[in-house]
Amino acid sequence: MNDRPTTTELLAAVEHFLEQTAVPALEGPARYHARVAANVVRIVARELATEDQHRAREWQGLAELLGTDPAAPEGGRSAWSDALRARNEALTRRIRAGDADAGPWRTAVLAHLSRVVADKLDVAQPPRPARDERR
Amino acid sequence: MSVTGLRRMAGGASREIWSLDVSLERAPGRRETLPLVLRRDPAGRVGDGGDRGAEFRVLRAAWRGGVRVPRVHWASHDGAGLGAPFFLMDRVAGETLPRRLLREDRYAGTRAGLAAELGAMLARIHALDLTDPDLADLADLAPPPADRSPAQREVERVAQGIRELAVEPHPVLDLAERWLHARTPTPSRIALVHGDYRIGNVLFDETGMRAILDWELMHVGDPIEDLGWLCMRAWRFGASLPVGGVGTREQLVEAYERASGTRVDLEALRFWEAFGSFKLALVFLMQSRVYLDGRVRSVELASLGRRTAETEDELLRFLRDEAEPGGT
């Protein structure tokens, strides 16, 4: 067990430094990149706070759509991402085969993907200090 | 001749933009200062940002065709002296920041007229003569294949790019590809398409639109593509009106139809607006791959990978709106 500060607390310190010290001290492209960096730190912090819930929800939805084992994969972050990737590839194959072109399964696929994308947006949280501040 | 005030301007990730003032002695005792911009291919970068020679020529043709663009002066195709191809053009005074356009009081008049101005200017771009010597042999402007419509070709091109670049499965994009394929419109005509016609690439001041920039994504295709791209949510920057957050589709279409003498098919407009999010997904995947492959270690490029979700969200809106693909 690592000592405090926690990962979240350390990220908050980095974000504070970037926003309060680096951004005001810089100008031009470097200032813009410091702002983007602060935003990236916020994304990571939100992902850490929500990833357990989000990946469980995606796993559950994929199991229902594909009729696969709903038991959660054993292991850490990389086991989860391998397992989710394999099931998303299976979903993609069925979409490409035309299985989601019509009917109730299409409705279910759209509902599942809408939930997954909403979760991704909760983490990424646009609009961000993005392309509109580049020049 | 002397050069002063050289400074790098903040610009896109795929190119370099420098500001400089060139002072010339036109005649003994008659000095003239030209405010210029130098555009250069970044040294050591793979050519995903277009090539400066083609951009120089399309800007020259557009200027002659009455399109508001910076006037170009001189191009070096071999990069003599600067290590990469570059060209010089006028530095047009004005702003490009969407945030300022949307919020500042002094641009209220610009906001009110912009959708109509954008429509009328787009009609001029689409009227450019593809047989013009500056345009006729550009690789970017090769004629579309006869066996496919521009929409079919664009959907295939973007889908192939996504398959090549995506490092993980994207079920939403696969679903969107099938939806788009079932709805590709037949164009009423073929024209030079700007390819990135939107707020952010428009230079403006208190009097309105001054210039349209960033021609790297130009191609020959269905002119409605540019109108659809312009209406995308991604270019509203948090505001609600469909045309760049400042105007309505009706204002845009009305001005375009009047200036071009053609009718805009609203179903085709909707298709191209949805297609825009599909293409933008590819842009984000491409930019994040530049980071993931270790080519450019930019925090901005890295962050853009997470914007793919915005394009998926937008595509899902279109997909949910209609029950079944091919149902039309």
Side-chain angles (χ1 to χ4, degrees):
Chain A
M1 181 88 183
N2 286 302
D3 302 318
R4 294 277 296 269
T6 62
T7 49
T8 310
E9 289 161 344
L10 288 170
L11 287 174
V14 175
E15 191 222 334
H16 184 83
F17 164 76
L18 288 167
E19 285 284 18
Q20 303 302 318
T21 307
V23 168
L26 295 167
E27 52 185 63
R31 182 190 180 100
Y32 170 69
H33 284 124
R35 214 170 251 149
V36 174
N39 192 55
V40 166
V41 170
R42 285 190 288 272
I43 290 176
V44 175
R46 285 193 293 267
E47 180 167 329
L48 287 172
T50 55
E51 68 179 341
D52 288 345
Q53 194 194 353
H54 286 179
R55 66 194 177 189
R57 181 149 53 209
E58 184 172 3
W59 185 258
Q60 172 75 26
L62 285 163
E64 283 166 19
L65 284 178
L66 300 168
T68 47
D69 184 3
E74 307 259 334
R77 188 175 279 130
S78 81
W80 263 106
S81 86
D82 289 349
L84 280 169
R85 167 196 288 268
R87 294 224 171 148
N88 274 311
E89 278 165 357
L91 174 60
T92 293
R93 279 193 296 276
R94 288 198 53 186
I95 289 171
R96 288 182 186 176
D99 292 355
D101 284 355
W105 201 65
R106 175 179 181 80
T107 310
V109 167
L110 282 173
H112 163 76
L113 292 175
S114 298
R115 273 192 303 274
V116 170
V117 169
D119 283 349
K120 288 202 279 186
L121 286 177
D122 270 352
V123 171
Q125 280 194 16
R128 298 154 39 183
R131 302 167 71 89
D132 63 322
E133 291 186 17
R134 280 207 308 215
R135 67 159 88 75
Chain B
M1 190 188 100
S2 64
V3 173
T4 52
L6 181 68
R7 65 183 174 86
R8 173 132 191 216
M9 298 163 85
S14 62
R15 62 196 167 255
E16 287 181 13
I17 307 170
W18 296 79
S19 166
L20 67 162
D21 296 306
V22 172
S23 182
L24 297 164
E25 192 153 347
R26 293 275 196 199
R30 196 165 67 84
R31 220 155 231 299
E32 190 183 335
T33 301
L34 304 172
L36 298 179
V37 166
L38 185 150
R39 299 257 287 158
R40 189 174 83 134
D41 289 328
R45 277 291 300 280
V46 199
D48 54 3
D51 95 81
R52 295 293 83 82
E55 195 181 358
F56 177 80
R57 286 167 61 185
V58 78
L59 286 173
R60 191 161 60 184
W63 171 268
R64 279 200 309 269
V67 179
R68 266 182 231 148
V69 287
R71 185 174 194 173
V72 294
H73 292 282
W74 190 72
S76 162
H77 304 293
D78 58 2
L82 285 178
F86 67 92
F87 67 86
L88 288 166
M89 60 185 177
D90 278 348
R91 190 167 73 238
V92 181
E95 278 285 352
T96 57
L97 288 179
R99 214 166 22 102
R100 298 213 171 131
L101 172 69
L102 290 171
R103 290 183 202 161
E104 293 185 9
D105 289 343
R106 62 194 168 126
Y107 298 124
T110 300
R111 284 194 291 273
L114 196 58
E117 268 197 289
L118 286 165
M121 192 56 59
L122 196 52
R124 287 195 191 183
I125 294 176
H126 295 160
L128 290 175
D129 179 5
L130 290 165
T131 63
D132 181 300
D134 263 332
L135 304 177
D137 61 344
L138 287 184
D140 289 334
L141 299 180
D147 61 337
R148 286 179 177 69
S149 71
Q152 285 168 325
R153 186 183 57 147
E154 284 299 294
V155 173
E156 280 165 22
R157 198 181 58 76
V158 171
Q160 189 191 343
I162 290 171
R163 276 194 281 275
E164 280 166 16
L165 287 168
V167 290
E168 51 221 338
H170 285 273
V172 175
L173 301 182
D174 284 292
L175 211 52
E177 181 189 341
R178 297 184 69 80
W179 186 92
L180 289 165
H181 258 307
R183 286 168 177 75
T184 50
T186 306
S188 53
R189 63 194 177 114
I190 298 291
L192 190 157
V193 173
H194 179 281
D196 200 5
Y197 194 80
R198 62 172 174 89
I199 307 298
N201 288 337
V202 171
L203 195 87
F204 57 88
D205 64 12
E206 291 87 341
T207 67
M209 173 179 186
R210 305 305 307 164
I212 175 72
L213 310 170
D214 289 356
W215 291 68
E216 286 107 341
L217 298 179
M218 66 176 172
H219 55 276
V220 174
D222 183 345
I224 310 304
E225 180 181 348
D226 275 332
L227 291 162
W229 183 257
L230 178 58
C231 292
M232 280 169 61
R233 185 174 303 265
W235 315 132
R236 297 176 203 162
F237 300 95
S240 57
L241 288 170
V243 180
V246 299
T248 65
R249 283 190 189 81
E250 290 72 21
Q251 290 171 324
L252 172 72
V253 167
E254 205 259 331
Y256 180 83
E257 288 184 336
R258 189 151 23 89
S260 68
T262 62
R263 298 287 299 171
V264 173
D265 177 76
L266 296 179
E267 268 304 301
L269 182 61
R270 188 177 142 76
F271 166 87
W272 284 112
E273 189 179 329
F275 170 80
S277 287
F278 191 57
K279 176 168 148 181
L280 188 59
L282 174 62
V283 172
F284 288 145
L285 290 170
M286 229 182 237
Q287 286 169 316
S288 69
R289 263 306 279 273
V290 173
Y291 172 78
L292 292 173
D293 293 348
R295 280 180 279 162
V296 180
R297 299 187 59 85
S298 149
V299 68
E300 181 189 18
L301 291 172
S303 72
L304 290 175
R306 295 296 183 100
R307 294 198 63 188
T308 314
E310 290 170 50
T311 64
E312 293 178 337
D313 182 49
E314 194 60 12
L315 285 165
L316 284 168
R317 277 179 222 277
F318 283 95
L319 268 69
R320 282 189 306 249
D321 266 3
E322 283 170 69
E324 296 177 3
T328 50

